[in-house]
């Protein structure tokens, strides 16, 4: 259906202990573009022995890296950020071909990652420990002081998803490295060309041999082996709730930081600015075809303004540009046919159960046209499941309490928006929502990246965000001074 995006076929290697290697098995995984199903490149399928070697070399390198002064680690990160900026054109071309993200969004993901890396270096240089006097606790005297510093954890396993292959790898690597850890990156297979390119940038910036290693191979084949590897000290995972919960079941005594799925609601109250709500909802739901954890994935609107809001949303959805990311389309083919099949099942279910199809409901291979359903009810799968595609359900509610109730019945708890001009109503709703972040009068979104970003319930474990990620990937170390003993 789509022509291939022109570009050379890429064969990438893995970075292990400072060397770029293919696999001794000589097996490669072909990476096909979601646009026209053309071969973009190949990456090695690593063996278990090679995984062992990569993790072992990370373990050994970390023993030296943790003693490198923070200001020197920061210099390497600044260099990596500069290189990302320098290479934005080439990298964004690869990203567009590999995951079908449009050029502008690909560039902005890369530039945002450069900012993330720089801010991480700045933040780490400004972190300080604390000293706690003993006599504030009953029964203790002034002669006891706890000096609290932070220590690295060891080897961090970073597993990234397909949809932000640079940003969600960089936002694990940079804070882990600055905290003195070494990193083993296992990128999503579809996204691994971007992930390996990013590793090259860090290597060129001066990350010493072994401090950053990469592993490619299908998660279904090597995932369990890596996450249960005895030399992994921390797992930083972004991806589906299904894989995340599997990792948390099969690992033992390894701390986890997980960003998982979501079903973010946009709650629209009667006194909302409906134009603002409609434009935020449409941008939030359909950009990159809804393949964002923080995409708006349901509208909960009170009956009084439902007709008017739906009309405005519908008008905007009809104007979305659909097609090839090369032409700047907002709604592009999904990452693969399997993803499109799943979205199609949800569309079918909603249709069969009587939801009103207002826009879309059309498919060509892995391209799902932007789809909007009104009068979705809670017996429909679309009310609860995460499509990760361009389909948005409108659920009409009688009042704010019913909206809160339905919002909280979800297994997920990433973010929610509330649209209202009344600050008291905004706080009423925000206080009651079981999510990591509530956006007042804005679409759900992760940035700016120094804000805390977390999911509750099935949406995650732990907190990301620059300072929070550094803290998550380090631990306090207390040295207690006992004066005069
Ligand atoms: P996914 O299928 O769960 O894959 C994520 C990563 O896990 C990939 O690197 C994958 O490798 C790997 N993996 C697969 N099986 C594994 C196993 N048994 N052990 C260890 N790793 C394994 O997710 P995705 O399709 O890439 O991303 C979409 C999902 O991620 C959505 O649910 C979305 O909501 C979520 N997400 C959440 C956030 C957030 O911040 N909350 C951000 C982005 C995405 P392979 O590619 O080789 O299978
Ligand atoms: O897919 C998950 C990303 O972290 C979302 O980031 O809200 O900036 O698009 P975003």
């Amino acid at each position: 259906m789509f022509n291939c995006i022109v570009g050379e076929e890429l064969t990438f290697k893995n970075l292990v202990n400072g060397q770029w290697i293919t696999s001794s098995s000589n097996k490669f995984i072909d990476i096909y573009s979601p646009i026209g199903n053309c071969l973009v490149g190949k990456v090695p399928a690593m063996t278990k022995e090679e995984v062992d070697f990569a993790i072992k070399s990370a373990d050994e390198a970390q023993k030296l890296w943790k003693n490198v002064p923070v200001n020197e680690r920061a210099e390497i990160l600044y260099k990596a950020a500069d290189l990302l900026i320098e290479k934005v054109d080439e990298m964004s071309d690869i990203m567009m071909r590999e995951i079908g993200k449009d050029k502008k969004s690909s560039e902005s993901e890369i530039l945002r990652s450069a900012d993330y890396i720089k801010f991480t270096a700045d933040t780490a240089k400004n972190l300080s420990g604390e000293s706690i006097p003993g006599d504030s606790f009953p029964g203790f005297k002034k002669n006891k002081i706890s000096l609290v510093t932070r220590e690295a954890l060891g080897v961090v396993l970073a597993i990234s998803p397909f949809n932000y292959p640079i940003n969600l790898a960089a936002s694990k690597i940079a804070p882990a490295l600055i905290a003195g850890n070494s990193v083993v990156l296992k990128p999503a297979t579809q996204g691994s060309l971007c992930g390996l390119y990013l590793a090259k940038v860090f290597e060129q910036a001066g990350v010493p041999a072994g401090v950053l290693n990469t592993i490619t191979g299908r998660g279904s084949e090597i995932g369990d082996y890596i996450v249960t590897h005895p030399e992994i000290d921390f797992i930083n995972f972004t991806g589906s709730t299904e894989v995340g919960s599997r990792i948390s079941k099969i690992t033992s005594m390894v701390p986890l930081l997980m960003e998982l799925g979501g079903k973010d609601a946009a709650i629209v109250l009667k006194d909302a600015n409906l134009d603002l709500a409609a434009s935020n909802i449409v941008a939030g739901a359909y950009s990159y075809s809804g393949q964002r954890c923080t995409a708006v994935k349901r509208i909960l609107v009170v009956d009084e303004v439902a007709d008017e809001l739906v009309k405005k949303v519908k008008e905007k959805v009809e104007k979305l540009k659909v097609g090839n990311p090369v032409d700047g389309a907002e709604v592009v083919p999904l990452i693969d046919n399997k993803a499109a099949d799943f979205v199609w099942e949800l569309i079918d279910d909603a249709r069969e159960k009587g939801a009103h199809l207002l826009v879309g409901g059309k498919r060509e291979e892995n391209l799902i046209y932007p789809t909007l359903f009104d009068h979705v009810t809670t017996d429909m799968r679309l009310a609860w499941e995460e499509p990760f595609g361009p389909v948005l359900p409108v659920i009409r509610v009688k009042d704010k309490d019913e909206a809160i109730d339905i919002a909280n019945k979800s297994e997920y708890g990433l973010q929610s928006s509330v649209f209202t001009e009344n600050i008291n109503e905004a706080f009423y709703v925000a206080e009651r929502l079981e999510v990591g972040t509530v956006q007042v009068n804005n679409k759900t979104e992760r940035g700016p990246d120094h804000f805390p970003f977390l999911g509750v319930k099935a949406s995650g474990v732990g907190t990301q965000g620059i300072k929070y990620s550094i803290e998550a990937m380090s631990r306090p170390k207390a040295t207690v001074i006992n004066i005069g003993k």
Side-chain angles (χ1 to χ4, degrees):
M1 183 182 56
F2 286 106
N3 293 330
C4 296
I5 304 173
V6 180
E8 61 168 318
E9 246 175 61
L10 306 160
T11 302
F12 278 12
K13 297 179 178 178
N14 272 295
L15 177 62
V16 177
N17 206 22
Q19 306 290 317
W20 288 94
I21 59 160
T22 56
S23 172
S24 58
S25 70
N26 225 9
K27 274 204 212 151
F28 283 86
I29 303 173
D30 290 336
I31 311 287
Y32 291 94
S33 177
I35 314 303
N37 200 32
C38 320
L39 188 65
V40 184
K42 45 180 78 176
V43 296
M46 289 177 84
T47 63
K48 286 183 178 166
E49 291 70 35
E50 286 154 356
V51 168
D52 289 343
F53 181 60
I55 297 176
K56 188 169 185 295
S57 80
D59 188 42
E60 279 167 13
Q62 194 266 335
K63 293 184 176 79
L64 298 174
W65 177 246
K66 70 178 181 188
N67 294 322
V68 172
V70 172
N71 70 79
E72 288 178 27
R73 288 184 219 146
E75 287 307 319
I76 295 175
L77 292 198
Y78 290 132
K79 181 87 192 291
D82 288 344
L83 284 171
L84 272 185
I85 296 166
E86 221 175 80
K87 293 171 188 296
V88 65
D89 194 39
E90 190 184 347
M91 279 179 103
S92 54
D93 276 346
I94 296 175
M95 195 188 296
M96 187 165 58
R97 290 167 65 207
E98 188 176 21
I99 64 157
K101 191 176 271 191
D102 70 81
K103 179 86 173 163
K104 200 164 140 234
S105 305
S106 298
E107 284 173 356
S108 106
E109 177 179 338
I110 293 160
L111 297 176
R112 168 186 181 177
S113 304
D115 286 337
Y116 188 109
I117 295 169
K118 281 190 216 161
F119 202 105
T120 301
D122 292 344
T123 303
K125 288 196 295 185
N126 285 293
L127 287 178
S128 52
E130 55 181 349
S131 79
I132 308 174
D135 67 337
S136 44
F137 199 87
F140 288 88
K141 300 212 174 80
K142 263 184 184 294
N143 67 337
K144 210 179 252 302
I145 300 170
S146 181
L147 294 179
V148 187
T149 52
R150 291 201 83 83
E151 293 218 328
L153 300 178
V155 180
V156 168
L157 172 62
I159 304 181
S160 48
F162 80 83
N163 64 336
Y164 280 79
I166 298 291
N167 187 257
L168 291 176
S171 60
K172 295 172 175 54
I173 296 170
L177 292 184
I178 203 79
N181 304 285
S182 58
V183 175
V184 174
L185 170 69
K186 189 263 174 260
T189 298
Q190 191 85 36
S192 51
L193 296 169
C194 289
L196 295 180
Y197 197 118
L198 179 69
K200 189 154 199 66
V201 162
F202 276 105
E203 185 220 10
Q204 287 174 346
V207 172
V211 172
L212 173 63
N213 293 333
T214 61
I215 294 174
T216 49
R218 297 223 176 264
S220 53
E221 287 163 20
I222 56 163
D224 289 0
Y225 187 74
I226 314 175
V227 298
T228 55
H229 202 286
E231 279 164 298
I232 294 295
D233 299 299
F234 187 89
I235 300 174
N236 191 337
F237 172 84
T238 303
S240 61
T241 296
E242 189 189 347
V243 175
S245 73
R246 176 173 178 79
I247 293 173
S248 72
K249 274 192 198 107
I250 64 175
T251 53
S252 164
M253 305 288 284
V254 178
L256 304 171
L257 186 52
M258 295 206 171
E259 314 175 330
L260 309 173
K263 187 71 185 171
D264 294 1
I267 296 176
V268 184
L269 302 185
K270 65 176 185 214
D271 50 11
N273 174 335
L274 295 182
D275 288 314
L276 177 84
S279 50
N280 269 276
I281 286 169
V282 173
Y286 295 97
S287 61
Y288 189 40
S289 296
Q291 298 175 112
R292 294 169 47 243
C293 57
T294 48
V296 173
K297 291 175 183 148
R298 48 192 171 144
I299 299 176
L300 298 168
V301 57
V302 295
D303 287 327
E304 284 145 287
V305 292
D307 286 343
E308 205 181 333
L309 178 81
V310 167
K311 184 170 168 277
K312 289 178 189 292
V313 170
K314 179 172 178 279
E315 277 166 14
K316 291 185 189 300
V317 176
E318 282 166 342
K319 288 189 190 136
L320 287 169
K321 193 165 177 196
V322 183
N324 198 324
V326 169
D327 306 323
E330 293 145 303
V331 177
V332 293
L334 296 184
I335 196 69
D336 54 29
N337 275 315
K338 195 170 154 233
D341 289 346
F342 177 70
V343 177
W344 197 247
E345 267 180 37
L346 299 183
I347 289 176
D348 266 351
D349 178 77
R351 262 184 184 144
E352 277 165 22
K353 290 180 179 151
H356 299 190
L357 178 65
L358 301 181
V359 190
K362 202 174 119 196
R363 171 181 180 180
E364 289 169 39
E365 296 168 15
N366 58 333
L367 175 69
I368 304 270
Y369 281 75
T371 298
L372 178 69
F373 278 108
D374 195 2
H375 296 284
V376 169
T377 48
T378 53
D379 59 328
M380 299 175 191
R381 291 176 59 189
L382 200 49
W384 307 111
E385 295 183 39
E386 179 190 40
F388 229 56
V391 50
L392 182 63
V394 179
I395 303 173
R396 294 173 176 233
V397 292
K398 65 175 186 303
D399 56 22
K400 59 180 187 270
D401 290 310
E402 191 184 5
I404 295 165
D405 188 46
I406 295 177
N408 287 345
K409 275 201 178 116
S410 169
E411 65 175 303
Y412 297 109
L414 191 57
Q415 294 203 350
S416 265
S417 293
V418 53
F419 291 92
T420 172
E421 297 284 273
N422 180 331
I423 189 75
N424 296 324
E425 295 285 83
F427 271 102
Y428 180 94
V429 175
E431 249 177 63
R432 286 162 179 77
L433 287 171
E434 294 161 6
V435 292
T437 303
V438 178
Q439 302 273 355
V440 178
N441 291 325
N442 199 79
K443 60 183 178 295
T444 44
E445 62 186 2
R446 179 194 181 102
D449 289 329
H450 64 314
F451 283 5
F453 180 64
L454 65 154
V456 300
K457 304 195 281 187
S459 287
V461 176
T463 306
Q464 306 257 15
I466 290 173
K467 175 168 74 88
Y468 306 92
S469 294
I470 298 171
E471 284 172 358
M473 290 188 275
S474 58
R475 64 169 157 256
K477 170 84 173 275
T479 304
V480 180
I481 310 293
N482 293 282
I483 300 160
K485 279 207 168 171

